[in-house]
Amino acid sequence: MPQKNNHRRRFRLPRPASWRGLFVKLAIAGLVPLLVFFAYCDAKVRGAFDPQRYDQPAKVYARPLVLASGAVLTSYELEEELRNLGYRQLRLVNEPGSYLRQGDTFTIYLRPFDFADGHRKAKKITVEMAATTVRVVRNALGERIAEEQLDPTVIGGVYPGRHEDRLMLSLDEVPEMLVETLLQVEDRHFYSHFGLSPRSIARALIVNIKAGRTVQGGSTLTQQLVKNTLLTNERSLWRKFKEAAMSLLTELHYSKDRILEAYINEVYLGQEGNRAIHGFGLAARHYFNRPLQELDLAQVSMLVGLVKGPSYYDPWRHPQRATSRRNTVLAELAEEGWLNAEQLEAWKKEPLSLSKSSALAGVYPAYVDLVRRQLSRDYARQDLQKKGLRIFTPFDPLLQRRAEAATAKALSQLAERKKDLQVAMVVTAVDSGDVVAVIGGRQPRYAGFNRALDALRPIGSLAKPAVYLTALNQPDKYTLLTKLRDEPLSVPNADGTLWRPSNYGRKAHGMVPLHKALSHSYNLATANLGLDLGLSDVMDMFQRLGVHRPLLEVPSMLLGAAELAPIEVAAMYQTIAADGRYTPLRTIYAVSDARGKPLARYPQQPKQVIDAAPVHLLQYAMLETVREGTGKSVYRVLPKDYRVAGKTGTSNDTRDSWFAGFAGDYLAVVWMGLDNNASTGLTGASGALRVWRQFMAEASTEQMPFAQRSNMEYLWVDAESGLRTQSWCENARYVPFIKGSEPQQSGGCAPDGEKMWNWFKGIFD
């Protein structure tokens, strides 16, 4: 039997030629995935920083404030507008965005702006103010000019899914002061490295070791740009490796200036609700409401300081942190010899000078929501999110602030009764149908459920003017003095039940004149009248007034069972306020592209849908509503001689409180209620009317016109009998009639010498 060989085979080293082959194979095996990795990184980097890549959301602008002789405006309001636009008061007005007030005379250096009708160059004007109006406007040569307008402010936009926003700038538009400060603080060797800076990494490592924590980073601007644009926030060596590779490739494909420009437009610098603020151009507007070119050194230093941590150094939430970080940036500039010790201390004492009280102070989501919906009819969402369209609206920030103040005051007064009470409000300009202010809830600066547009609630007695106008449109049958039956009634419903309305006070009043039935909001008189007229005719009147939502043709609609949103009620009452002229409510009057080229205009085309004469009679009854009827608490705030018209509305079980009314300049509709549809315990007079009267007292400057019309005749009549009488007689009322419908018979009031004398004396007094 052969003996086993128990010794182990010796391991032989490969020959040199074999070593070379092995290394080649290993090199190839490692090089292929490396090449694939770099190819992947290269594909990601190419085109990543081209300007066309960035979404440019449509910007929504408020109305420009027009300065013209005779325009209603106080010196306080003009200065408030200038401050809200970020204009600085300087002793020497020598640059755009500055002004000087001397008493009631303003010298203003207007910024350049691309309006809907063309470009306006920067120019200097002088505005001389009277007590409550603009007296005269002059150009730089002192010559009188017809008018000029301030640049409008951005109130919102239509953002892409990422909710990012930026204001694109070329490097030539960026102030040298910002560039130098940014490079000094974030990347001193930007123009000498190739995307990675070993020197910066080593310096940061030493500083962090000394501090015992991470206080300084070693990333270059290129690395920051790559990380923010192409990578996630994951913390791993693999992500850092990709960042390094992409940074090198970015430097290969783009010039230093192009990388710096991309960084300036891309860097994240704050948050406004769910809207991310990217780039220094938009950040300057966001924090200071000024173009980047108008910022001073302290403001630029604050923005550069935010790069380190926009949330941590948020100047609204953490002003001390923001100030400390800004001063650190200023100190670094002083270390480089840009500032001496005296200058440094002076700049450190500067306040933050933020343009508003919070990040959301200049945000108007309810109004922008309405604009967005109207835009969607004419523009694709992708165009609105990416093409930088400029949307010009009639939105008035001054009126919006007054509306918000009025709602806040009313809600605070009612807080003990209902803490979670909600409110919605729509304000329009009577002469144009322009929507000038919108409130969507008790927190108007926060986006969410927009009650002004989407809260469908029973409108209660706000429906009654449509019933009475249907009657007054038949002057051969109805006048303001026609007697109506305010008596109980019972009407079968389709389901076999009975509809039995009642008055608010559970009391019937018998035969009452039409004007009193409306001004005192008698349900029984209204229901009897509506049934006499016919439901189909009343429903037709709703449509003519501007209510396009289909309404059920049932008796309860006569008393406001119709569920409408405040914006729909505003459309209806706008037609009444405009003497029967229907005009679709407008929130956009022009659209231009990113370069200012006009794309579309939205002119108003009013249509007379109801003769002005019966509307005039309805307005008379609505004037009486606030003088003598359910809305008379209006004059607890408004001057007694200020003419306004309105109507209260209350739904069943006081779930909804409404008031709609108008002066000569503005119409406002207010709703109050609870989101869970529970009872508020508030009538239209005790709830919504509080907001309306406070707003009108502060916003309206033109009372309702009520001139006698050519086809109408005003007569003194006895309020009870409806017969002609004399002004000095008991129960005399001066009432309008459409010619041909006036009473022919006179009452029995004989001339009374003393009463006549008192009447004439009252006229001349």
Side-chain angles (χ1 to χ4, degrees), residues 114-119 149 392 590 596 598 601:
D114 289 316
F115 289 94
D117 54 358
H119 178 74
Q149 49 190 2
F392 296 93
R601 290 192 174 277

Side-chain angles (χ1 to χ4, degrees), residues 303-322:
L303 293 185
V304 171
L306 285 175
V307 172
K308 186 176 181 180
S311 298
Y312 186 80
Y313 296 108
D314 185 321
W316 284 300
R317 290 187 296 155
H318 309 293
Q320 291 182 337
R321 291 180 191 171

Side-chain angles (χ1 to χ4, degrees), residues 47 57 64 74 85 102 194 264 266 311 321 335 371 385 458 503 523 577 605 641 645 668 679 683 703 713:
T74 66
L85 288 170
Q102 296 172 300
F194 296 97
I264 287 171
E266 175 60 31
S311 298
R321 291 180 191 171
E335 287 179 10
V371 171
Q385 292 175 343
N503 285 330
N523 289 339
Q605 297 177 329
D641 59 348
S679 174
T683 64
Q703 67 176 338
E713 187 171 359

Side-chain angles (χ1 to χ4, degrees), residues 488-501 527-528 531 535 554-556 558:
L489 71 158
S490 178
V491 181
N493 290 315
D495 60 0
T497 60
L498 293 177
W499 181 60
R500 291 174 175 169
N528 279 302
L531 292 174
L535 291 177
V554 294
S556 60
L558 300 171

Side-chain angles (χ1 to χ4, degrees), residues 352-489:
L352 291 177
S353 301
L354 302 175
S355 64
K356 47 193 179 183
S357 58
S358 72
L360 298 176
V363 177
Y364 306 98
Y367 193 93
V368 174
D369 186 18
L370 178 58
V371 171
R372 189 183 297 114
R373 296 186 196 195
Q374 294 202 359
L375 282 172
S376 65
R377 298 197 297 253
D378 301 322
Y379 294 91
R381 185 169 183 83
Q382 188 174 11
D383 292 339
L384 295 173
Q385 292 175 343
K386 295 186 176 182
K387 292 191 174 181
L389 299 181
R390 297 153 61 84
I391 316 301
F392 296 93
T393 78
F395 176 80
D396 191 321
L398 290 175
L399 292 175
Q400 178 73 22
R401 286 192 286 273
R402 283 160 175 72
E404 291 175 2
T407 57
K409 183 174 182 178
L411 289 172
S412 66
Q413 292 171 345
L414 298 168
E416 292 185 3
R417 299 174 65 175
K418 292 292 180 182
K419 292 184 178 181
D420 49 354
L421 191 65
Q422 281 292 349
V423 64
M425 186 174 184
V426 177
V427 183
T428 67
V430 170
D431 63 345
S432 64
D434 286 340
V435 180
V436 294
V438 176
I439 290 177
R442 64 181 297 130
Q443 294 181 304
R445 298 304 173 88
Y446 289 87
F449 181 56
N450 192 341
R451 295 163 188 81
L453 310 186
D454 297 323
L456 298 178
R457 306 298 287 257
I459 64 174
S461 294
L462 292 194
K464 290 176 181 175
V467 180
Y468 287 88
L469 186 55
T470 305
L472 294 171
N473 201 33
Q474 304 174 38
D476 56 329
K477 296 182 180 179
Y478 296 95
T479 71
L480 289 170
L481 295 178
T482 300
K483 294 288 186 173
L484 302 180
R485 303 186 314 278
D486 191 60
E487 300 170 347
L489 71 158

